[in-house]
Amino acid sequence: MKTALAGWTAALLLAAATPVCAQIGLPQTPGLPALPSGVTDRLPAVGRADALGRETLDRALQAPSRLTGLVRRSGGALEADPNGWPVAAAEIVAVDLSEAARAEALRAGFTVVREDRLEALDLAAVVLAPPRRLSLARAVERLKALDPAAEVTFNHIHSPAGIETAAPGSAGPAPPGPQGLGARLGLIDTGVEATHPALTGSAIIQRGFAGPPRLGAHGTAVASLMVGRSGAFSGADPGGSLLVADIYGGQSTGGSSTGLASALAWMVEQRVRVVNISLVGPRNPLVERAVARAQSRGVVIVAAAGNDGPAASALYPAAYDGVVGVSAVNSRNQILPESGRGPQVDFAAPGADMAAAGQAGSWTSVRGSSFAAPLVAGLLARRGGGPASVEALARSATDRGARGRDPVYGQGLVGADLRVAPAAVGARGRLSR
């Protein structure tokens, strides 16, 4: 079972370890600095593990100021939970809060911000703001005391402090695309550039869950690896239809737990068979329950294992039970040094030394488990989705590492033939994740 708890210390290492960036950068977060020019996405050779470890540790010591800065630059839109994870400021999420506890909370000064009723998941949550002069952490504890049976948590932001290195994380509005699409694949990420040559052959619907959908470099690259097709380039399910849920919308509070849960409900409503989530965050009761409800309705959820390194705690949603977690390999089919490992890994797939769609019709080189997961999602969709597709993919996997299932390659390597070298499409930029 995937029961390991996420730790922010691992994310610190990820955010600080040059030259690898986080799983996904917060798109266009106000005040987010750009990386200096000339940043490369290449790591030292595996043989230099000692030097790499020292460098990562040294830089991790500098990370707290960066993470504090991320919250500070949000203009008050973000806070940090007791473990250091970014959360939406002044928002507490309660699932199954009793009417008696709710009434008592209102009398104590809590206010209702909104109510999210996710009919497709048979799930409802109320978002409350704490009383004045009561910290968010203390407010969460007070609500838990009012109703110990309820799930009370923070509205976590799903993404470490990453920065886009090849292009801005969010550009202009994304067109919604055609309606009434029967797609078997779904993507929860940023918006995508549906007019990119790799994606014009696919029917794409986009919907925003943090305001109108906006173009994003990360989502565009991931989408191309799922359904893209253009010349020498091909994704795992080329030409397939795709539903895109943008849970960022260029907002500082984008990537929230409530947004992710709402996006999953939409995927269920649209009867999507396989959903890819190349995002990471801590364990969150609302998201965990939404994932379980979506799975019970036949949706296969694929998620990136993260890029925090072999010693890191498991990240979510990849570590939730039943989610297909994916680690990443390089062009020699060796696991990336930074790729997440553990019982949450079900498959390994190419995640480096390969091309993907960039912004404004360009091509870029990508690195990280963010880009391995969509290949697995596309392969599962081609097999029809559902548990049977996962079993079929496992039978086709190439065993690597320790014999049988292992925490590095999971059930084995898949999609090795799907890697398209950057030179094949004339990629000029690099998108490091």
Side-chain angles (χ1 to χ4, degrees):
M1 293 180 64
K2 300 174 179 178
T3 56
L5 295 176
W8 186 239
T9 301
L12 294 181
L13 296 178
L14 171 59
T18 301
V20 178
C21 293
Q23 186 66 22
I24 174 174
L26 290 172
Q28 292 296 89
T29 301
L32 195 62
L35 286 181
S37 60
V39 173
T40 173
D41 61 2
R42 297 188 182 279
L43 283 171
V46 177
R48 293 174 56 193
D50 291 342
L52 175 61
R54 287 195 300 272
E55 178 185 357
T56 300
L57 180 60
D58 290 344
R59 293 184 181 277
L61 297 177
Q62 305 170 18
S65 61
R66 290 189 186 185
L67 297 172
T68 302
L70 176 63
V71 173
R72 184 178 65 250
R73 287 190 298 272
S74 71
L78 300 178
E79 297 182 34
D81 76 0
N83 294 318
W85 281 101
V87 300
E91 290 194 2
I92 302 168
V93 181
V95 182
D96 293 338
L97 186 68
S98 70
E99 288 299 324
R102 176 171 173 155
E104 182 63 29
L106 295 179
R107 284 193 291 269
F110 288 83
T111 56
V112 175
V113 177
R114 65 182 180 275
E115 297 194 45
D116 295 332
R117 298 190 178 278
L118 311 179
E119 302 294 345
L121 300 178
D122 191 23
L123 185 62
V126 58
V127 179
L128 301 112
R132 293 181 61 184
R133 294 184 294 276
L134 185 65
S135 72
L136 197 60
R138 290 284 302 277
V140 167
E141 292 305 316
R142 181 170 296 184
L143 268 183
K144 287 181 178 179
L146 289 177
D147 188 353
E151 295 277 14
V152 181
T153 186
F154 302 91
N155 196 3
H156 288 107
I157 300 300
H158 285 73
S159 67
I163 302 174
E164 298 289 350
T165 63
S170 179
Q179 301 301 310
L181 176 67
R184 58 189 178 189
L185 266 174
L187 172 63
I188 299 177
D189 208 292
T190 70
V192 310
E193 186 179 312
T195 57
H196 191 284
L199 297 173
T200 54
S202 297
I204 296 176
I205 288 179
Q206 303 196 59
R207 179 174 171 181
F209 291 86
R214 298 181 64 84
L215 307 182
H218 189 269
T220 299
V222 172
S224 71
L225 294 165
M226 296 175 76
V227 300
R229 179 170 55 193
S230 178
F233 180 86
S234 177
D237 187 21
S241 299
L242 182 67
L243 260 67
V244 178
D246 177 6
I247 63 171
Y248 291 91
Q251 304 296 317
S252 296
T253 54
S256 67
S257 300
T258 52
L260 202 162
S262 296
L264 275 174
W266 181 54
M267 295 292 173
V268 171
E269 290 172 357
Q270 299 298 315
R271 300 185 180 181
V272 171
R273 301 300 304 277
V274 181
V275 175
N276 184 79
I277 308 176
S278 286
L279 313 173
V280 295
R283 191 168 197 164
N284 179 277
L286 173 64
V287 175
E288 184 169 17
R289 190 172 297 193
V291 164
R293 297 284 175 87
Q295 291 169 330
S296 71
R297 288 154 175 77
V299 178
V300 174
I301 298 174
V302 181
N307 308 314
D308 292 19
S313 298
L315 296 171
Y316 297 84
Y320 292 129
D321 285 344
V323 173
V324 179
V326 184
S327 60
V329 301
N330 61 20
S331 59
R332 297 182 298 280
N333 293 333
Q334 298 171 335
I335 197 73
L336 298 186
E338 70 271 25
S339 192
R341 309 172 197 195
Q344 75 277 15
V345 174
D346 294 288
F347 296 102
D353 310 313
M354 65 182 190
Q359 289 192 305
S362 67
W363 297 93
T364 189
S365 179
V366 295
R367 181 185 181 104
S369 58
S370 268
F371 308 105
L375 296 179
V376 172
L379 289 172
L380 292 174
R382 283 168 55 181
R383 288 165 169 79
S389 67
V390 180
E391 295 169 4
L393 188 60
R395 289 194 295 271
S396 72
T398 301
D399 192 18
R400 293 189 62 84
R403 187 171 182 177
R405 178 164 186 153
D406 66 72
V408 179
Y409 296 91
Q411 299 183 78
L413 173 66
V414 298
D417 59 333
L418 295 174
R419 178 186 287 106
V420 177
V425 293
R428 296 180 179 180
R430 291 189 181 277
L431 179 64
S432 176
R433 283 289 163 275

